[in-house]
Amino acid sequence: MQRRTFLKSLAAGTAAGLFAAPLPKAKITRVRIYQPPSLNRTINQSNMLVAVETDIGITGIGEGGTKDLLEQCAGSLIGKNPFQVERVWQHMYIDWFYPPGREKVHALGAMDLALWDIKGKAFQAPVHQLLGGMVRNHVECYGAPRTGAGGRGFVPEGSAGERLRDLARATMEAGFRCFRMDASVGGDIPDRVFNTHERVRLVAAACKSAREGVGPKGDWMIDLHQKFDYADALRTCKLIEEYEPYLVEDPVRDEHAHQDLPKLRQMTTVPLAHGEEWGQRYDFNKLVENHDIDYARCTLPNVGGITEMLKIMALCETHAVGIVPHFTGPIATAALVHCLGTFSGTVLVEIGANQVLPPYLPACHDFKAGKLWPNERPGLGVTVDFKAVQQVAEVTTAGMSRIYHRPDGSLTHW
């Protein structure tokens, strides 16, 4: 079925009610991979672009991954029905038998975003409508304004005293929910030597300044950024309790989180957040189930896309744990609005450098007054100027698929 014929039939069905028209038979025919002009080479923040094309003329847009892993995931898409999102996700996950690590899950998530974009465009509806609809008017953000904070929305290293108070005050005035700083504040770090034992009291003094800056009705948070071992993390948390942080992020090393966070939870009253390096829910489900954290820092596409994030949302909702996603690329940020906009629990998005859209994205997420706003554009609501990005790969043939099927047709391991 051609795109024009399909859209005419969909329009006729929509007149009788949303989603009244049946989805057509469709196949994924090609995946193109693009590199943007300002490539973020930090893998878990990758802004590589993917365009998943179908034989009904609808193309889905996703973001994340690296060229080699995107090519491998793309091979699992060719010839598949783009509307069977969960089934295609399982193919990408098990086609090569060995379970993917966090880097491949990131690429898998990029493809998943594109599949949801296709489905939304097919229904001529925003993805958030497919997920049950928005439960909030906007998505709250944290960070710092681009002006006066190094131009990127992050607090400069070494900020302290009056400068920190001014940045915190400006963040509240810009409409952000929360002012964010990390443990590099409190004074200079000569020769990049970070003495955690000495730093604890400098950080505590910086937290006092942040509280003074946001005022009694404002909020602030600090990212310890895994710089501290358990003892110094505990000292820091205890010293800043009186300044009432919104949360303390990544207080200990990720490798030690499962053994240290449960102890830390019992020893301090500050809310704890962890997990910007996490992938799927198996990385942290026990910490959520035991309520050893107050906020999970999982994000898109890192967890494996919207398909996996929906399962994380259910897990967090069950145990009253909020979701505070780390920033990634702008398209993933748009997807976060669609996905987490439907989550009933607390949501706070790190906007980071995504306060301004790059030139190759004339339409993406809508950020203003310190908040992310939903829109009604079909799919993820993203438009790409493909002339402004560089195509680096194209996949048109199916890849390896080492799988078996259960008697009912569902997938199982080879």
Side-chain angles (χ1 to χ4, degrees):
M1 180 182 289
Q2 296 298 312
R3 176 180 173 87
R4 183 176 299 176
T5 304
F6 167 58
L7 292 179
K8 284 182 178 179
S9 67
L10 182 64
T14 305
L18 188 61
F19 310 156
L23 287 170
K25 292 181 178 179
K27 286 185 178 181
I28 297 168
T29 56
R30 175 166 53 189
V31 177
R32 298 178 191 259
I33 302 169
Y34 298 89
Q35 180 175 309
S38 53
L39 176 64
N40 189 334
R41 297 187 181 277
T42 303
I43 291 178
N44 64 351
Q45 299 169 16
S46 169
N47 56 349
M48 290 284 286
L49 295 169
V50 296
V52 177
E53 301 176 7
T54 65
D55 61 358
I56 59 171
I58 298 178
T59 297
I61 305 300
E63 180 183 62
T66 58
K67 177 179 176 293
D68 56 342
L69 295 175
L70 289 168
E71 287 177 306
Q72 188 179 109
C73 289
S76 295
L77 268 62
I78 302 301
K80 301 294 193 307
N81 182 341
F83 303 127
Q84 294 179 331
V85 180
E86 177 69 39
R87 185 177 181 87
V88 176
W89 195 99
Q90 294 294 334
H91 265 289
M92 287 190 285
Y93 195 84
I94 68 174
D95 270 350
W96 289 70
F97 182 66
Y98 287 96
R102 293 178 186 176
E103 292 80 7
K104 184 176 177 181
V105 167
H106 202 278
L108 189 160
M111 298 296 176
D112 185 78
L113 298 187
L115 295 178
W116 280 100
D117 191 38
I118 290 171
K119 182 168 279 192
K121 290 173 178 175
F123 280 121
Q124 293 187 311
V127 168
H128 63 75
Q129 290 288 6
L130 307 186
L131 304 181
M134 297 288 292
V135 300
R136 42 181 44 86
N137 298 326
H138 57 262
V139 176
E140 294 185 313
C141 298
Y142 71 88
R146 285 170 62 87
T147 56
R152 296 184 62 240
F154 301 100
V155 174
E157 182 180 288
S159 297
E162 192 59 36
R163 187 184 192 192
L164 208 52
R165 283 189 286 273
D166 289 344
L167 287 171
R169 188 178 305 112
T171 301
M172 295 296 100
E173 292 172 351
F176 290 84
R177 172 59 191 272
C178 192
F179 170 66
R180 181 262 187 198
M181 59 188 185
D182 79 9
S184 65
V185 296
D188 294 334
I189 305 174
D191 300 322
R192 303 187 68 80
V193 176
F194 193 88
N195 182 336
T196 58
H197 192 75
E198 171 194 30
R199 201 78 193 175
V200 168
R201 293 193 179 277
L202 293 176
V203 168
C207 292
K208 182 176 185 291
S209 297
R211 167 49 68 194
E212 293 169 349
V214 300
K217 295 183 178 180
D219 285 305
W220 66 277
M221 58 176 286
I222 186 164
D223 181 0
L224 299 190
H225 223 255
Q226 305 186 36
K227 291 180 172 70
F228 295 87
D229 58 21
Y230 173 77
D232 286 334
L234 176 58
R235 287 177 60 218
T236 304
C237 289
K238 296 293 289 183
L239 283 173
I240 67 176
E241 286 177 348
E242 63 178 302
Y243 308 127
E244 299 178 317
Y246 189 93
L247 60 85
V248 174
E249 176 193 345
D250 285 352
V252 295
R253 286 286 296 268
D254 195 57
E255 300 92 329
H256 307 151
H258 282 268
Q259 66 187 30
D260 284 351
L261 287 175
K263 294 184 295 182
L264 190 60
R265 172 70 290 153
Q266 299 300 315
M267 297 295 290
T268 181
T269 60
V270 301
L272 300 176
H274 203 87
E276 69 181 55
E277 296 182 355
W278 286 337
Q280 298 171 268
R281 60 193 183 279
Y282 311 115
D283 285 342
F284 58 91
N285 65 297
K286 291 299 182 184
L287 292 171
V288 172
E289 290 167 5
N290 295 329
H291 214 147
D292 292 322
I293 55 173
D294 300 281
Y295 302 97
R297 298 233 53 223
C298 46
T299 193
L300 295 175
N302 305 38
V303 299
I306 291 173
T307 299
E308 175 72 4
M309 183 64 89
L310 294 174
K311 299 166 186 176
I312 291 170
M313 288 160 56
L315 175 67
C316 289
E317 183 180 48
T318 301
H319 300 284
V321 169
I323 300 178
V324 181
H326 190 275
F327 74 91
T328 48
I331 296 173
T333 301
L336 283 170
V337 178
H338 288 278
C339 192
L340 294 182
T342 70
F343 175 59
S344 66
T346 302
V347 172
L348 189 63
V349 172
E350 182 178 19
I351 190 67
N354 292 314
Q355 297 180 37
V356 176
L357 294 178
Y360 63 87
L361 292 175
C364 191
H365 62 269
D366 298 316
F367 176 79
K368 60 182 178 180
K371 301 170 179 63
L372 286 163
W373 299 85
N375 62 70
E376 297 301 312
R377 297 189 295 268
L380 296 177
V382 172
T383 302
V384 179
D385 177 6
F386 286 104
K387 294 180 181 178
V389 294
Q390 177 188 1
Q391 182 174 327
V392 294
E394 176 178 296
V395 178
T396 57
T397 56
M400 182 169 64
S401 185
R402 291 180 174 174
I403 59 168
Y404 287 153
H405 297 85
R406 300 186 183 95
D408 62 2
S410 58
L411 307 181
T412 190
H413 278 285
W414 164 76

